[in-house]
PDB file of all heavy atoms in Angstrom:
ATOM      1  N   GLY A   1      -7.722 -13.168 -18.393  1.00 86.00           N
ATOM      2  CA  GLY A   1      -8.592 -14.301 -18.624  1.00 86.00           C
ATOM      3  C   GLY A   1      -9.132 -14.197 -20.014  1.00 86.00           C
ATOM      4  O   GLY A   1      -9.221 -13.083 -20.595  1.00 86.00           O
ATOM      5  N   SER A   2      -9.583 -15.292 -20.575  1.00 81.00           N
ATOM      6  CA  SER A   2     -10.002 -15.310 -21.947  1.00 81.00           C
ATOM      7  C   SER A   2     -11.221 -14.443 -22.187  1.00 81.00           C
ATOM      8  O   SER A   2     -11.447 -13.974 -23.316  1.00 81.00           O
ATOM      9  CB  SER A   2     -10.277 -16.706 -22.432  1.00 81.00           C
ATOM     10  OG  SER A   2     -11.297 -17.308 -21.633  1.00 81.00           O
ATOM     11  N   ALA A   3     -11.971 -14.188 -21.129  1.00 79.00           N
ATOM     12  CA  ALA A   3     -13.204 -13.382 -21.280  1.00 79.00           C
ATOM     13  C   ALA A   3     -13.047 -11.966 -20.757  1.00 79.00           C
ATOM     14  O   ALA A   3     -14.000 -11.197 -20.772  1.00 79.00           O
ATOM     15  CB  ALA A   3     -14.372 -14.054 -20.547  1.00 79.00           C
ATOM     16  N   ASN A   4     -11.841 -11.596 -20.292  1.00 84.00           N
ATOM     17  CA  ASN A   4     -11.599 -10.297 -19.667  1.00 84.00           C
ATOM     18  C   ASN A   4     -10.438  -9.566 -20.360  1.00 84.00           C
ATOM     19  O   ASN A   4      -9.577 -10.214 -20.939  1.00 84.00           O
ATOM     20  CB  ASN A   4     -11.237 -10.449 -18.192  1.00 84.00           C
ATOM     21  CG  ASN A   4     -12.377 -11.133 -17.428  1.00 84.00           C
ATOM     22  OD1 ASN A   4     -13.514 -10.714 -17.537  1.00 84.00           O
ATOM     23  ND2 ASN A   4     -11.989 -12.158 -16.691  1.00 84.00           N
ATOM     24  N   LEU A   5     -10.447  -8.216 -20.251  1.00 90.00           N
ATOM     25  CA  LEU A   5      -9.336  -7.460 -20.748  1.00 90.00           C
ATOM     26  C   LEU A   5      -8.110  -7.641 -19.832  1.00 90.00           C
ATOM     27  O   LEU A   5      -8.305  -7.491 -18.592  1.00 90.00           O
ATOM     28  CB  LEU A   5      -9.694  -5.963 -20.856  1.00 90.00           C
ATOM     29  CG  LEU A   5     -10.553  -5.514 -22.071  1.00 90.00           C
ATOM     30  CD1 LEU A   5     -10.916  -4.075 -21.887  1.00 90.00           C
ATOM     31  CD2 LEU A   5      -9.754  -5.674 -23.363  1.00 90.00           C
ATOM     32  N   PRO A   6      -6.968  -7.901 -20.334  1.00 94.00           N
ATOM     33  CA  PRO A   6      -5.779  -7.976 -19.483  1.00 94.00           C
ATOM     34  C   PRO A   6      -5.547  -6.645 -18.764  1.00 94.00           C
ATOM     35  O   PRO A   6      -5.602  -5.579 -19.400  1.00 94.00           O
ATOM     36  CB  PRO A   6      -4.618  -8.292 -20.436  1.00 94.00           C
ATOM     37  CG  PRO A   6      -5.312  -8.922 -21.636  1.00 94.00           C
ATOM     38  CD  PRO A   6      -6.654  -8.219 -21.744  1.00 94.00           C
ATOM     39  N   THR A   7      -5.347  -6.722 -17.457  1.00 96.00           N
ATOM     40  CA  THR A   7      -5.146  -5.502 -16.680  1.00 96.00           C
ATOM     41  C   THR A   7      -3.882  -5.620 -15.853  1.00 96.00           C
ATOM     42  O   THR A   7      -3.656  -6.648 -15.213  1.00 96.00           O
ATOM     43  CB  THR A   7      -6.353  -5.245 -15.717  1.00 96.00           C
ATOM     44  OG1 THR A   7      -7.559  -5.209 -16.487  1.00 96.00           O
ATOM     45  CG2 THR A   7      -6.167  -3.952 -14.960  1.00 96.00           C
ATOM     46  N   SER A   8      -3.037  -4.602 -15.893  1.00 97.00           N
ATOM     47  CA  SER A   8      -1.793  -4.615 -15.149  1.00 97.00           C
ATOM     48  C   SER A   8      -1.755  -3.530 -14.113  1.00 97.00           C
ATOM     49  O   SER A   8      -2.141  -2.363 -14.411  1.00 97.00           O
ATOM     50  CB  SER A   8      -0.606  -4.459 -16.151  1.00 97.00           C
ATOM     51  OG  SER A   8       0.578  -4.257 -15.442  1.00 97.00           O
ATOM     52  N   THR A   9      -1.314  -3.858 -12.933  1.00 97.00           N
ATOM     53  CA  THR A   9      -1.108  -2.876 -11.852  1.00 97.00           C
ATOM     54  C   THR A   9       0.414  -2.861 -11.547  1.00 97.00           C
ATOM     55  O   THR A   9       1.014  -3.915 -11.333  1.00 97.00           O
ATOM     56  CB  THR A   9      -1.827  -3.226 -10.579  1.00 97.00           C
ATOM     57  OG1 THR A   9      -3.230  -3.346 -10.887  1.00 97.00           O
ATOM     58  CG2 THR A   9      -1.653  -2.187  -9.533  1.00 97.00           C
ATOM     59  N   VAL A  10       1.053  -1.715 -11.585  1.00 97.00           N
ATOM     60  CA  VAL A  10       2.456  -1.589 -11.397  1.00 97.00           C
ATOM     61  C   VAL A  10       2.821  -0.518 -10.369  1.00 97.00           C
ATOM     62  O   VAL A  10       2.203   0.530 -10.349  1.00 97.00           O
ATOM     63  CB  VAL A  10       3.199  -1.278 -12.712  1.00 97.00           C
ATOM     64  CG1 VAL A  10       4.712  -1.082 -12.513  1.00 97.00           C
ATOM     65  CG2 VAL A  10       2.964  -2.348 -13.751  1.00 97.00           C
ATOM     66  N   ALA A  11       3.772  -0.801  -9.538  1.00 97.00           N
ATOM     67  CA  ALA A  11       4.331   0.180  -8.584  1.00 97.00           C
ATOM     68  C   ALA A  11       5.789   0.375  -8.845  1.00 97.00           C
ATOM     69  O   ALA A  11       6.535  -0.582  -9.045  1.00 97.00           O
ATOM     70  CB  ALA A  11       4.131  -0.262  -7.146  1.00 97.00           C
ATOM     71  N   LEU A  12       6.253   1.664  -8.980  1.00 96.00           N
ATOM     72  CA  LEU A  12       7.601   2.001  -9.277  1.00 96.00           C
ATOM     73  C   LEU A  12       8.138   2.995  -8.258  1.00 96.00           C
ATOM     74  O   LEU A  12       7.349   3.714  -7.625  1.00 96.00           O
ATOM     75  CB  LEU A  12       7.733   2.655 -10.677  1.00 96.00           C
ATOM     76  CG  LEU A  12       7.310   1.952 -11.929  1.00 96.00           C
ATOM     77  CD1 LEU A  12       7.466   2.905 -13.096  1.00 96.00           C
ATOM     78  CD2 LEU A  12       8.125   0.724 -12.096  1.00 96.00           C
ATOM     79  N   THR A  13       9.435   3.091  -8.145  1.00 95.00           N
ATOM     80  CA  THR A  13      10.064   4.273  -7.536  1.00 95.00           C
ATOM     81  C   THR A  13      10.705   5.042  -8.631  1.00 95.00           C
ATOM     82  O   THR A  13      11.339   4.498  -9.573  1.00 95.00           O
ATOM     83  CB  THR A  13      11.142   3.861  -6.491  1.00 95.00           C
ATOM     84  OG1 THR A  13      12.117   3.025  -7.103  1.00 95.00           O
ATOM     85  CG2 THR A  13      10.519   3.202  -5.289  1.00 95.00           C
ATOM     86  N   THR A  14      10.577   6.359  -8.654  1.00 92.00           N
ATOM     87  CA  THR A  14      11.050   7.207  -9.677  1.00 92.00           C
ATOM     88  C   THR A  14      12.503   7.644  -9.359  1.00 92.00           C
ATOM     89  O   THR A  14      12.989   7.422  -8.230  1.00 92.00           O
ATOM     90  CB  THR A  14      10.195   8.516  -9.804  1.00 92.00           C
ATOM     91  OG1 THR A  14      10.423   9.304  -8.602  1.00 92.00           O
ATOM     92  CG2 THR A  14       8.710   8.142  -9.880  1.00 92.00           C
ATOM     93  N   PRO A  15      13.214   8.302 -10.342  1.00 90.00           N
ATOM     94  CA  PRO A  15      14.550   8.781 -10.088  1.00 90.00           C
ATOM     95  C   PRO A  15      14.630   9.736  -8.903  1.00 90.00           C
ATOM     96  O   PRO A  15      15.671   9.955  -8.291  1.00 90.00           O
ATOM     97  CB  PRO A  15      14.934   9.443 -11.404  1.00 90.00           C
ATOM     98  CG  PRO A  15      14.150   8.724 -12.416  1.00 90.00           C
ATOM     99  CD  PRO A  15      12.824   8.436 -11.755  1.00 90.00           C
ATOM    100  N   ASP A  16      13.440  10.398  -8.581  1.00 88.00           N
ATOM    101  CA  ASP A  16      13.398  11.319  -7.459  1.00 88.00           C
ATOM    102  C   ASP A  16      13.093  10.654  -6.141  1.00 88.00           C
ATOM    103  O   ASP A  16      13.012  11.284  -5.095  1.00 88.00           O
ATOM    104  CB  ASP A  16      12.355  12.408  -7.693  1.00 88.00           C
ATOM    105  CG  ASP A  16      12.666  13.209  -8.929  1.00 88.00           C
ATOM    106  OD1 ASP A  16      13.875  13.445  -9.173  1.00 88.00           O
ATOM    107  OD2 ASP A  16      11.745  13.626  -9.647  1.00 88.00           O
ATOM    108  N   GLY A  17      12.969   9.289  -6.158  1.00 90.00           N
ATOM    109  CA  GLY A  17      12.688   8.561  -4.916  1.00 90.00           C
ATOM    110  C   GLY A  17      11.203   8.448  -4.565  1.00 90.00           C
ATOM    111  O   GLY A  17      10.860   7.868  -3.542  1.00 90.00           O
ATOM    112  N   GLU A  18      10.338   8.914  -5.442  1.00 94.00           N
ATOM    113  CA  GLU A  18       8.884   8.880  -5.169  1.00 94.00           C
ATOM    114  C   GLU A  18       8.334   7.527  -5.619  1.00 94.00           C
ATOM    115  O   GLU A  18       8.723   6.986  -6.632  1.00 94.00           O
ATOM    116  CB  GLU A  18       8.219  10.012  -5.943  1.00 94.00           C
ATOM    117  CG  GLU A  18       6.714  10.046  -5.799  1.00 94.00           C
ATOM    118  CD  GLU A  18       6.058  11.111  -6.711  1.00 94.00           C
ATOM    119  OE1 GLU A  18       6.766  11.721  -7.521  1.00 94.00           O
ATOM    120  OE2 GLU A  18       4.840  11.236  -6.645  1.00 94.00           O
ATOM    121  N   ARG A  19       7.421   7.007  -4.778  1.00 96.00           N
ATOM    122  CA  ARG A  19       6.742   5.766  -5.162  1.00 96.00           C
ATOM    123  C   ARG A  19       5.454   6.109  -5.911  1.00 96.00           C
ATOM    124  O   ARG A  19       4.632   6.934  -5.408  1.00 96.00           O
ATOM    125  CB  ARG A  19       6.401   4.927  -3.932  1.00 96.00           C
ATOM    126  CG  ARG A  19       5.654   3.592  -4.300  1.00 96.00           C
ATOM    127  CD  ARG A  19       5.270   2.833  -3.058  1.00 96.00           C
ATOM    128  NE  ARG A  19       4.279   1.799  -3.391  1.00 96.00           N
ATOM    129  CZ  ARG A  19       4.542   0.507  -3.234  1.00 96.00           C
ATOM    130  NH1 ARG A  19       5.689   0.078  -2.739  1.00 96.00           N
ATOM    131  NH2 ARG A  19       3.600  -0.378  -3.515  1.00 96.00           N
ATOM    132  N   VAL A  20       5.265   5.523  -7.055  1.00 96.00           N
ATOM    133  CA  VAL A  20       4.055   5.787  -7.882  1.00 96.00           C
ATOM    134  C   VAL A  20       3.449   4.435  -8.311  1.00 96.00           C
ATOM    135  O   VAL A  20       4.173   3.487  -8.475  1.00 96.00           O
ATOM    136  CB  VAL A  20       4.362   6.655  -9.100  1.00 96.00           C
ATOM    137  CG1 VAL A  20       4.826   8.059  -8.710  1.00 96.00           C
ATOM    138  CG2 VAL A  20       5.472   6.006  -9.973  1.00 96.00           C
ATOM    139  N   GLU A  21       2.156   4.421  -8.522  1.00 96.00           N
ATOM    140  CA  GLU A  21       1.536   3.217  -9.004  1.00 96.00           C
ATOM    141  C   GLU A  21       0.241   3.544  -9.753  1.00 96.00           C
ATOM    142  O   GLU A  21      -0.391   4.545  -9.438  1.00 96.00           O
ATOM    143  CB  GLU A  21       1.263   2.211  -7.904  1.00 96.00           C
ATOM    144  CG  GLU A  21       0.383   2.668  -6.767  1.00 96.00           C
ATOM    145  CD  GLU A  21       0.231   1.586  -5.700  1.00 96.00           C
ATOM    146  OE1 GLU A  21       1.144   1.532  -4.834  1.00 96.00           O
ATOM    147  OE2 GLU A  21      -0.772   0.871  -5.758  1.00 96.00           O
ATOM    148  N   THR A  22      -0.158   2.691 -10.664  1.00 97.00           N
ATOM    149  CA  THR A  22      -1.392   2.859 -11.410  1.00 97.00           C
ATOM    150  C   THR A  22      -1.674   1.536 -12.093  1.00 97.00           C
ATOM    151  O   THR A  22      -0.929   0.566 -12.025  1.00 97.00           O
ATOM    152  CB  THR A  22      -1.278   3.971 -12.462  1.00 97.00           C
ATOM    153  OG1 THR A  22      -2.580   4.284 -12.946  1.00 97.00           O
ATOM    154  CG2 THR A  22      -0.389   3.599 -13.610  1.00 97.00           C
ATOM    155  N   ALA A  23      -2.823   1.514 -12.817  1.00 97.00           N
ATOM    156  CA  ALA A  23      -3.275   0.302 -13.523  1.00 97.00           C
ATOM    157  C   ALA A  23      -3.733   0.691 -14.913  1.00 97.00           C
ATOM    158  O   ALA A  23      -4.328   1.756 -15.073  1.00 97.00           O
ATOM    159  CB  ALA A  23      -4.358  -0.453 -12.756  1.00 97.00           C
ATOM    160  N   CYS A  24      -3.433  -0.181 -15.881  1.00 97.00           N
ATOM    161  CA  CYS A  24      -3.879   0.047 -17.286  1.00 97.00           C
ATOM    162  C   CYS A  24      -4.287  -1.272 -17.909  1.00 97.00           C
ATOM    163  O   CYS A  24      -3.874  -2.345 -17.436  1.00 97.00           O
ATOM    164  CB  CYS A  24      -2.801   0.732 -18.093  1.00 97.00           C
ATOM    165  SG  CYS A  24      -2.439   2.426 -17.613  1.00 97.00           S
ATOM    166  N   ILE A  25      -5.019  -1.191 -18.979  1.00 95.00           N
ATOM    167  CA  ILE A  25      -5.403  -2.404 -19.723  1.00 95.00           C
ATOM    168  C   ILE A  25      -4.593  -2.450 -21.033  1.00 95.00           C
ATOM    169  O   ILE A  25      -3.918  -1.500 -21.404  1.00 95.00           O
ATOM    170  CB  ILE A  25      -6.915  -2.407 -20.040  1.00 95.00           C
ATOM    171  CG1 ILE A  25      -7.273  -1.187 -20.883  1.00 95.00           C
ATOM    172  CG2 ILE A  25      -7.794  -2.476 -18.767  1.00 95.00           C
ATOM    173  CD1 ILE A  25      -8.704  -1.220 -21.428  1.00 95.00           C
ATOM    174  N   GLY A  26      -4.653  -3.587 -21.654  1.00 95.00           N
ATOM    175  CA  GLY A  26      -3.988  -3.758 -22.960  1.00 95.00           C
ATOM    176  C   GLY A  26      -4.658  -4.903 -23.714  1.00 95.00           C
ATOM    177  O   GLY A  26      -5.469  -5.697 -23.120  1.00 95.00           O
ATOM    178  N   SER A  27      -4.300  -5.051 -24.983  1.00 93.00           N
ATOM    179  CA  SER A  27      -4.901  -6.179 -25.744  1.00 93.00           C
ATOM    180  C   SER A  27      -4.272  -7.484 -25.370  1.00 93.00           C
ATOM    181  O   SER A  27      -4.787  -8.566 -25.695  1.00 93.00           O
ATOM    182  CB  SER A  27      -4.736  -5.904 -27.250  1.00 93.00           C
ATOM    183  OG  SER A  27      -3.347  -5.738 -27.572  1.00 93.00           O
ATOM    184  N   GLY A  28      -3.138  -7.462 -24.699  1.00 94.00           N
ATOM    185  CA  GLY A  28      -2.463  -8.659 -24.153  1.00 94.00           C
ATOM    186  C   GLY A  28      -1.762  -8.318 -22.868  1.00 94.00           C
ATOM    187  O   GLY A  28      -1.652  -7.174 -22.497  1.00 94.00           O
ATOM    188  N   SER A  29      -1.274  -9.325 -22.214  1.00 95.00           N
ATOM    189  CA  SER A  29      -0.603  -9.100 -20.898  1.00 95.00           C
ATOM    190  C   SER A  29       0.628  -8.195 -20.990  1.00 95.00           C
ATOM    191  O   SER A  29       0.778  -7.307 -20.209  1.00 95.00           O
ATOM    192  CB  SER A  29      -0.217 -10.456 -20.271  1.00 95.00           C
ATOM    193  OG  SER A  29      -1.358 -11.241 -20.082  1.00 95.00           O
ATOM    194  N   VAL A  30       1.502  -8.450 -22.001  1.00 96.00           N
ATOM    195  CA  VAL A  30       2.676  -7.635 -22.145  1.00 96.00           C
ATOM    196  C   VAL A  30       2.330  -6.195 -22.444  1.00 96.00           C
ATOM    197  O   VAL A  30       2.879  -5.254 -21.879  1.00 96.00           O
ATOM    198  CB  VAL A  30       3.636  -8.204 -23.246  1.00 96.00           C
ATOM    199  CG1 VAL A  30       4.771  -7.257 -23.508  1.00 96.00           C
ATOM    200  CG2 VAL A  30       4.138  -9.563 -22.848  1.00 96.00           C
ATOM    201  N   GLU A  31       1.363  -5.994 -23.363  1.00 96.00           N
ATOM    202  CA  GLU A  31       0.921  -4.596 -23.704  1.00 96.00           C
ATOM    203  C   GLU A  31       0.338  -3.926 -22.478  1.00 96.00           C
ATOM    204  O   GLU A  31       0.566  -2.745 -22.255  1.00 96.00           O
ATOM    205  CB  GLU A  31      -0.057  -4.616 -24.835  1.00 96.00           C
ATOM    206  CG  GLU A  31      -0.392  -3.209 -25.283  1.00 96.00           C
ATOM    207  CD  GLU A  31      -1.474  -3.110 -26.342  1.00 96.00           C
ATOM    208  OE1 GLU A  31      -2.281  -4.056 -26.418  1.00 96.00           O
ATOM    209  OE2 GLU A  31      -1.525  -2.117 -27.041  1.00 96.00           O
ATOM    210  N   ALA A  32      -0.404  -4.682 -21.651  1.00 96.00           N
ATOM    211  CA  ALA A  32      -1.004  -4.063 -20.418  1.00 96.00           C
ATOM    212  C   ALA A  32       0.154  -3.571 -19.510  1.00 96.00           C
ATOM    213  O   ALA A  32       0.075  -2.489 -18.920  1.00 96.00           O
ATOM    214  CB  ALA A  32      -1.840  -5.076 -19.723  1.00 96.00           C
ATOM    215  N   VAL A  33       1.182  -4.384 -19.336  1.00 97.00           N
ATOM    216  CA  VAL A  33       2.343  -4.021 -18.521  1.00 97.00           C
ATOM    217  C   VAL A  33       2.994  -2.785 -19.093  1.00 97.00           C
ATOM    218  O   VAL A  33       3.312  -1.807 -18.377  1.00 97.00           O
ATOM    219  CB  VAL A  33       3.327  -5.162 -18.372  1.00 97.00           C
ATOM    220  CG1 VAL A  33       4.626  -4.690 -17.702  1.00 97.00           C
ATOM    221  CG2 VAL A  33       2.733  -6.328 -17.584  1.00 97.00           C
ATOM    222  N   PHE A  34       3.279  -2.789 -20.387  1.00 97.00           N
ATOM    223  CA  PHE A  34       3.932  -1.679 -21.025  1.00 97.00           C
ATOM    224  C   PHE A  34       3.078  -0.377 -20.977  1.00 97.00           C
ATOM    225  O   PHE A  34       3.650   0.697 -20.728  1.00 97.00           O
ATOM    226  CB  PHE A  34       4.273  -2.010 -22.465  1.00 97.00           C
ATOM    227  CG  PHE A  34       5.465  -2.895 -22.625  1.00 97.00           C
ATOM    228  CD1 PHE A  34       5.925  -3.304 -23.891  1.00 97.00           C
ATOM    229  CD2 PHE A  34       6.187  -3.317 -21.535  1.00 97.00           C
ATOM    230  CE1 PHE A  34       7.002  -4.134 -24.026  1.00 97.00           C
ATOM    231  CE2 PHE A  34       7.297  -4.156 -21.679  1.00 97.00           C
ATOM    232  CZ  PHE A  34       7.684  -4.564 -22.930  1.00 97.00           C
ATOM    233  N   ASN A  35       1.778  -0.498 -21.167  1.00 97.00           N
ATOM    234  CA  ASN A  35       0.917   0.678 -21.064  1.00 97.00           C
ATOM    235  C   ASN A  35       0.949   1.281 -19.690  1.00 97.00           C
ATOM    236  O   ASN A  35       0.916   2.484 -19.498  1.00 97.00           O
ATOM    237  CB  ASN A  35      -0.515   0.295 -21.454  1.00 97.00           C
ATOM    238  CG  ASN A  35      -0.719   0.067 -22.899  1.00 97.00           C
ATOM    239  OD1 ASN A  35       0.111   0.477 -23.765  1.00 97.00           O
ATOM    240  ND2 ASN A  35      -1.801  -0.565 -23.256  1.00 97.00           N
ATOM    241  N   THR A  36       0.989   0.413 -18.665  1.00 97.00           N
ATOM    242  CA  THR A  36       1.048   0.885 -17.285  1.00 97.00           C
ATOM    243  C   THR A  36       2.366   1.578 -16.992  1.00 97.00           C
ATOM    244  O   THR A  36       2.411   2.634 -16.353  1.00 97.00           O
ATOM    245  CB  THR A  36       0.854  -0.299 -16.316  1.00 97.00           C
ATOM    246  OG1 THR A  36      -0.272  -1.059 -16.690  1.00 97.00           O
ATOM    247  CG2 THR A  36       0.636   0.209 -14.878  1.00 97.00           C
ATOM    248  N   LEU A  37       3.489   0.996 -17.439  1.00 97.00           N
ATOM    249  CA  LEU A  37       4.809   1.582 -17.245  1.00 97.00           C
ATOM    250  C   LEU A  37       4.877   2.930 -17.975  1.00 97.00           C
ATOM    251  O   LEU A  37       5.431   3.914 -17.408  1.00 97.00           O
ATOM    252  CB  LEU A  37       5.865   0.660 -17.776  1.00 97.00           C
ATOM    253  CG  LEU A  37       6.118  -0.623 -16.987  1.00 97.00           C
ATOM    254  CD1 LEU A  37       7.006  -1.552 -17.765  1.00 97.00           C
ATOM    255  CD2 LEU A  37       6.738  -0.312 -15.613  1.00 97.00           C
ATOM    256  N   GLU A  38       4.307   2.998 -19.159  1.00 95.00           N
ATOM    257  CA  GLU A  38       4.378   4.268 -19.922  1.00 95.00           C
ATOM    258  C   GLU A  38       3.580   5.364 -19.196  1.00 95.00           C
ATOM    259  O   GLU A  38       3.969   6.503 -19.252  1.00 95.00           O
ATOM    260  CB  GLU A  38       3.814   4.033 -21.311  1.00 95.00           C
ATOM    261  CG  GLU A  38       4.164   5.138 -22.285  1.00 95.00           C
ATOM    262  CD  GLU A  38       3.923   4.802 -23.747  1.00 95.00           C
ATOM    263  OE1 GLU A  38       3.783   3.588 -24.028  1.00 95.00           O
ATOM    264  OE2 GLU A  38       3.855   5.720 -24.574  1.00 95.00           O
ATOM    265  N   ALA A  39       2.456   4.935 -18.515  1.00 96.00           N
ATOM    266  CA  ALA A  39       1.682   5.945 -17.791  1.00 96.00           C
ATOM    267  C   ALA A  39       2.390   6.445 -16.568  1.00 96.00           C
ATOM    268  O   ALA A  39       2.180   7.604 -16.162  1.00 96.00           O
ATOM    269  CB  ALA A  39       0.349   5.284 -17.395  1.00 96.00           C
ATOM    270  N   LEU A  40       3.292   5.661 -15.991  1.00 96.00           N
ATOM    271  CA  LEU A  40       3.999   6.022 -14.790  1.00 96.00           C
ATOM    272  C   LEU A  40       5.275   6.767 -15.067  1.00 96.00           C
ATOM    273  O   LEU A  40       5.707   7.607 -14.234  1.00 96.00           O
ATOM    274  CB  LEU A  40       4.346   4.765 -13.943  1.00 96.00           C
ATOM    275  CG  LEU A  40       3.172   4.035 -13.319  1.00 96.00           C
ATOM    276  CD1 LEU A  40       3.624   2.719 -12.706  1.00 96.00           C
ATOM    277  CD2 LEU A  40       2.502   4.940 -12.291  1.00 96.00           C
ATOM    278  N   VAL A  41       5.932   6.510 -16.191  1.00 94.00           N
ATOM    279  CA  VAL A  41       7.185   7.129 -16.498  1.00 94.00           C
ATOM    280  C   VAL A  41       6.951   8.517 -17.125  1.00 94.00           C
ATOM    281  O   VAL A  41       6.125   8.661 -18.034  1.00 94.00           O
ATOM    282  CB  VAL A  41       7.976   6.239 -17.482  1.00 94.00           C
ATOM    283  CG1 VAL A  41       9.195   6.963 -18.025  1.00 94.00           C
ATOM    284  CG2 VAL A  41       8.427   4.955 -16.753  1.00 94.00           C
ATOM    285  N   LYS A  42       7.722   9.502 -16.687  1.00 88.00           N
ATOM    286  CA  LYS A  42       7.505  10.872 -17.133  1.00 88.00           C
ATOM    287  C   LYS A  42       8.069  11.121 -18.538  1.00 88.00           C
ATOM    288  O   LYS A  42       7.615  12.030 -19.255  1.00 88.00           O
ATOM    289  CB  LYS A  42       8.152  11.864 -16.183  1.00 88.00           C
ATOM    290  CG  LYS A  42       7.565  11.805 -14.741  1.00 88.00           C
ATOM    291  CD  LYS A  42       8.331  12.734 -13.829  1.00 88.00           C
ATOM    292  CE  LYS A  42       7.762  12.665 -12.427  1.00 88.00           C
ATOM    293  NZ  LYS A  42       8.518  13.551 -11.485  1.00 88.00           N
ATOM    294  N   GLU A  43       9.004  10.312 -18.918  1.00 89.00           N
ATOM    295  CA  GLU A  43       9.632  10.529 -20.224  1.00 89.00           C
ATOM    296  C   GLU A  43       8.659  10.202 -21.401  1.00 89.00           C
ATOM    297  O   GLU A  43       7.748   9.407 -21.236  1.00 89.00           O
ATOM    298  CB  GLU A  43      10.878   9.642 -20.359  1.00 89.00           C
ATOM    299  CG  GLU A  43      12.111  10.254 -19.721  1.00 89.00           C
ATOM    300  CD  GLU A  43      11.985  10.454 -18.212  1.00 89.00           C
ATOM    301  OE1 GLU A  43      11.437   9.601 -17.543  1.00 89.00           O
ATOM    302  OE2 GLU A  43      12.430  11.510 -17.746  1.00 89.00           O
ATOM    303  N   GLU A  44       8.960  10.808 -22.537  1.00 92.00           N
ATOM    304  CA  GLU A  44       8.173  10.537 -23.779  1.00 92.00           C
ATOM    305  C   GLU A  44       8.719   9.272 -24.406  1.00 92.00           C
ATOM    306  O   GLU A  44       9.909   9.183 -24.787  1.00 92.00           O
ATOM    307  CB  GLU A  44       8.241  11.652 -24.727  1.00 92.00           C
ATOM    308  CG  GLU A  44       7.376  11.469 -25.980  1.00 92.00           C
ATOM    309  CD  GLU A  44       7.493  12.635 -26.946  1.00 92.00           C
ATOM    310  OE1 GLU A  44       7.849  13.757 -26.486  1.00 92.00           O
ATOM    311  OE2 GLU A  44       7.148  12.504 -28.129  1.00 92.00           O
TER     312      GLU A  44
END
């Protein structure tokens, strides 16, 4: 929303078959999604 920070909630299954999920903010919707994915993925 124009008055709120974009927030993304994402659920993934990992290569080990585990289900993980979390939420992150970003300066825009795409960045919020990417920040959330980066928080869930173990790789650098």
Side-chain angles (χ1 to χ4, degrees):
S2 59
N4 301 309
L5 281 174
T7 304
S8 171
T9 303
V10 177
L12 300 178
T13 55
T14 71
D16 298 326
E18 179 186 3
R19 179 185 167 116
V20 294
E21 59 182 83
T22 193
C24 291
I25 60 172
S27 57
S29 299
V30 173
E31 186 185 22
V33 172
F34 282 179
N35 286 344
T36 312
L37 291 169
E38 195 167 344
L40 291 172
V41 170
K42 297 177 182 178
E43 277 63 40
E44 183 180 340

